[in-house]
Amino acid sequence: NMKYQASKLGAYADWGQLLVNNTKTTITGALHGSIPNQPYDEHRLKTQLTNTIKIQGKPITYHSPREPFRHLGVELTMDLNYKHHFKSTYHKIKKQIQHLKGSYASTNQKLRIIET
């Protein structure tokens, strides 16, 4: 039960005199048990989770399971679809290559930059 888990988190934060940043705390889910053929039913998840789970009396922001979130530098989705991470990495590398192409560094310096 997610509400129970959130209440435990709130109790721990209160005990430790910590303040949970509700703008950075998000909730998402998968309905594997109740709807195994459609575990990421956006409408049902949004209805069940938007403004219903609270920590320290404040609602937690709902995050769609299909939308990527960054965790330890990797863009993940609940269904472990890595296309978002691949796209993000591809665009980052492409941008770095464009900067390197336009730089005044010598060919040897550029090679050293790429190697490190």
Side-chain angles (χ1 to χ4, degrees), residues 14-25:
D14 292 341
W15 172 81
Q17 298 177 348
L18 303 169
L19 192 60
V20 175
N21 186 341
N22 292 62
T23 59
K24 291 184 177 181
T25 307

Side-chain angles (χ1 to χ4, degrees), residues 70 75 83-93:
R70 186 170 290 279
E75 293 216 15
K83 76 175 181 183
H84 299 286
H85 182 68
F86 177 79
K87 252 193 224 177
S88 169
T89 304
Y90 174 79
H91 289 298
K92 183 178 176 182
I93 290 171

Side-chain angles (χ1 to χ4, degrees), residues 17 21-22 45 49 56 60 62 65 76 81 92-93 98:
Q17 298 177 348
N21 186 341
N22 292 62
L45 281 168
L49 299 176
Q56 294 179 327
I60 301 302
Y62 169 72
L76 297 170
N81 183 339
K92 183 178 176 182
I93 290 171
Q98 292 301 322

Side-chain angles (χ1 to χ4, degrees), residues 95-113:
K95 184 177 174 184
Q96 289 173 339
I97 288 171
Q98 292 301 322
H99 288 304
L100 197 56
K101 274 180 159 180
S103 80
Y104 292 109
S106 70
T107 304
N108 286 336
Q109 290 172 325
K110 290 178 182 180
L111 285 172
R112 237 179 287 136
I113 290 169

